[in-house]
Amino acid sequence: MIVFSFTRIFTFSTTIYLWKNEQLIRKPSSVALTLNTSITEKSSDYDDKTYLMAAYITSSSVIRLTTIRKCKTIIRLRFHLKTNQSKFLTVPLIHKPILKCPWFYATKCDFVGYFATTVRRNDLEQLLMTNHKKLPKAYVSRMDRPSLRVPIVLQEARVMPKQPRKHYLAVCLQPIFLLADWTLLVQFFEIWIAQGVTKFCVYVQSMTPEVDALLRVYEHSKDVEVERINWAPLPTGEVAVNEDNPNLRIYRTEVTTSINDCVLRSRGHAKYVISSDLDEILVIYKETSLLKLLDSLRAKFKNSAAFVIRSSFALFENHWANISKPTDIDFSNFANISLENYIWPAGFRSKVVMIPEYVYSAHVHQVLQPEPGKIIKIVPPETALVFHLRRVMRDKLWSSNTTVKTNALARFIDPCNKSWKNRLKIIRQVPDTKILHGSKWPQRGSQVMKELEACREQLNSIQNDTCHSPYRCMSKITSVPSNEWVIAQQTWTVL
């Protein structure tokens, strides 16, 4: 029997402390950023903490940090750069929420993303201008606790004049949460690779061992560069969980902060960057390739910071739902797609291709603030459109009762099939992929997605009273034993 379904996977991160009395698997990650998170917090102190992810030099006078903290709290931090063996340059940080908080759609979610930015100072500019090749050691402290300085890795994000970018197009994958369907990973990577993407920033929180192993295969592939960024639960130091826990007060893992972290991470390394979910495919109509379209748009709109591409839901014959043999993966099921006869307005389910150095802040579906003098252009749907293929679909998301048949995805069949077959040949050469060495792989994706969607429906019904946090869904998952999940390494620094 053919099953018609939509594609949708939750891409959330979650907290290991919500699985009480369970031992979870933690495997090494390829991410280079490993920060000190040894501070143990008491529940009463959560509202007084700032959780730091990374620090980026965006110019010779500015350093910007991505952080999460309680909305509207007054916590002042200072940034320290070591100038020699005993001296530091200390600069105050200005704190600003990435989105106005609390967000109108999730008023009960009061832990949100903040930028922390150094104030402009001549001595800071002089230091950064003379340290292009070797960056100084960096530390962060609180103004009310100046003696406690926590180290943080300083990352280069300056765009050097006339310096070529290593990557033409990069993709940021929003934090994946309880991902069990490895076929979605195949679809995501192979179709983007066929479109010319050579860099992936994959934000991860939890996944099954088979998904983790397949991600390692792509990390070791020679045709792309895959950077795994650990988007772990905010560290609390507690096993028991109460409503004060910050992980229960974050809307969908604070995806917005991860997107902005990725935009900063891509500066100077990629010409274009797009934030995507696992189940979205960008289709080009009026150019021969995505890369040519982007260059054409940039040549036409020279002061653009980003290009917004609108979206439609799509229906397809999901032959992959219960596949356990990797050799059974065949992209031919994308030959005939039913596209909903409705295109969502820009800002609603749309995706944004960004020129990273021209974007100050972004959201999932739009740019919040371009850099001064830059503008946002909306791409006509007859030029390009995002196909949103959800595998779990609620009827109320439909905006119309009609669809139109299209073969727009047929162009991906041959290159994706060829690429996937070649990738299968290297699996045994990749470390920590033994679970994929057999002719059949575990496949629990459909069951997990159904359980997650049921939990999401329940959370939607109480979102006016409770924060819509995916951490609340963890105990609802029964199709995968809790001790099998691979959890991201802890990379948050707490102050």
Side-chain angles (χ1 to χ4, degrees), residues 197-217:
V197 173
T198 56
K199 173 64 185 278
F200 293 88
C201 293
V202 181
Y203 286 71
V204 301
Q205 194 282 325
S206 55
M207 52 198 155
T208 55
E210 58 270 20
V211 172
D212 174 65
L214 184 56
L215 179 56
R216 292 177 186 278
V217 172

Side-chain angles (χ1 to χ4, degrees), residues 376-388:
I376 311 303
K377 296 300 296 184
I378 299 173
V379 178
E382 59 269 20
T383 299
L385 187 69
V386 173
F387 284 28
H388 196 168

Side-chain angles (χ1 to χ4, degrees), residues 324-340:
S324 59
K325 294 182 179 180
T327 53
D328 287 344
I329 290 288
D330 188 340
F331 284 82
S332 297
N333 63 324
F334 293 114
N336 292 299
I337 299 291
S338 295
L339 195 65
E340 185 184 13

Side-chain angles (χ1 to χ4, degrees), residues 39-58:
I39 302 174
T40 301
E41 311 304 337
K42 297 180 180 179
S43 60
S44 60
D45 294 335
Y46 295 151
D47 293 359
D48 190 43
K49 299 302 175 190
T50 297
Y51 300 86
L52 312 176
M53 174 50 64
Y56 301 94
I57 305 178
T58 59

